[in-house]
Amino acid sequence: MAKEKKYNSAKEEEKKQEMILFLSDSEEKEHFLSKGNRKLLSDPLDDNNPITVQVLGICSALAITVQLEPAVVMAIAVMAVMAFSNMIISMLRNLIPSRIRIIVQLVVVASLVILVDQILKAYAYDVSKQLSVFIGLIITNCIVMGRLEAFALGNGVYKSFLDGIGNAAGYGLILIVVAFFRELLGSGKLFGFEVLGHQGATLAESTGLYSLGYENNGLMLLSPMALIVVGLIIWVQRARNRKLIEAN
């Protein structure tokens, strides 16, 4: 009995040490930038992208990509929420009863989203107004909840952190690419700055491409165009990476 108690106390001490170091036994033996860890960061950017491969988070891709600035801010916000929620849930994974795990995940994510929302209102109020309810909807974002359920509950803190960063980066990459083309072709601007020239009332008053008769494509500013741009990205991705094409 004494040996068993000693063994149990040693295991408990070992678990506490893991929590302090944020590393499990397997992670301690694995290099921080090992091939597996690098894959957690790189896979969501291409082979396992949350939007173009898993087809998650489409709503925000349609709604907030009219301009590049809110798309970048949204990408950063999702990255912060995913990285830290993954870490927290991974640290608590052995303490959360399975029947209330979804509630715990929602509480953690909601707390982080509220924190991010308040920071945006304090330091980037105009962008916060543009993003409106979509910051709050991060709480129920399929990508965030999916990674908590599928990865953070079964892996160490460091790996969960990398997984959160990688999936948020893959999500943010598509948002930024879509917003880039929509703002550039729809209004001739990037981050609100005119990059194709100034569009005057007449050709003589216009500069850059507008002086040659170029006209902005107003269709790019409509929500359906975001879906078309995402579809084109999916098409290019599958044409370049044939293994993503599902077998008939």
Side-chain angles (χ1 to χ4, degrees), residues 20 24 66 80 97 123 132 140 158 167 173 178 198 208 221 240:
I20 294 170
S24 62
V66 176
Y123 297 102
S132 184
T140 55
Y158 180 63
N167 279 274
L173 175 66
V178 173
H198 174 69
L221 302 178
R240 186 176 56 83

Side-chain angles (χ1 to χ4, degrees), residues 30 71 88 113 156 160 196 201 208 225 228 240:
E30 190 176 8
I88 293 169
V113 168
S160 297
L196 299 181
M225 205 59 209
I228 292 172
R240 186 176 56 83

Side-chain angles (χ1 to χ4, degrees), residues 51 98 155 166 191 242:
I51 293 179
S98 60
N155 290 275
F191 288 107
R242 306 295 291 182

Side-chain angles (χ1 to χ4, degrees), residues 19-53:
M19 298 292 283
I20 294 170
L21 296 175
F22 293 164
L23 293 169
S24 62
D25 289 340
S26 60
E27 287 174 324
E28 283 182 355
K29 296 172 186 175
E30 190 176 8
H31 192 272
F32 275 86
L33 294 176
S34 65
K35 185 177 179 181
N37 288 341
R38 290 200 304 271
K39 204 170 179 183
L40 291 173
L41 293 171
S42 61
D43 265 10
L45 296 175
D46 188 12
D47 291 354
N48 199 26
N49 188 276
I51 293 179
T52 60
V53 178

Side-chain angles (χ1 to χ4, degrees), residues 132-233:
S132 184
V133 297
F134 292 100
I135 285 291
L137 287 175
I138 295 175
I139 298 170
T140 55
N141 192 309
C142 313
I143 302 169
V144 179
M145 296 303 295
R147 296 322 296 170
L148 293 178
E149 187 73 11
F151 196 91
L153 282 174
N155 290 275
V157 179
Y158 180 63
K159 283 183 178 293
S160 297
F161 175 76
L162 293 182
D163 182 77
I165 292 288
N167 279 274
Y171 167 81
L173 175 66
I174 301 301
L175 252 62
I176 291 168
V177 170
V178 173
F180 174 85
F181 286 109
R182 290 186 71 192
E183 185 175 9
L184 180 65
L185 300 178
S187 60
K189 300 176 181 180
L190 288 176
F191 288 107
F193 297 101
E194 295 177 339
V195 296
L196 299 181
H198 174 69
Q199 188 175 24
T202 64
L203 287 178
E205 296 175 355
S206 302
T207 61
L209 290 179
Y210 297 110
S211 64
L212 302 175
Y214 176 81
E215 293 287 339
N216 291 325
N217 185 352
L219 183 63
M220 294 296 293
L221 302 178
L222 301 178
S223 295
M225 205 59 209
L227 193 59
I228 292 172
V229 176
V230 170
L232 289 172
I233 294 172

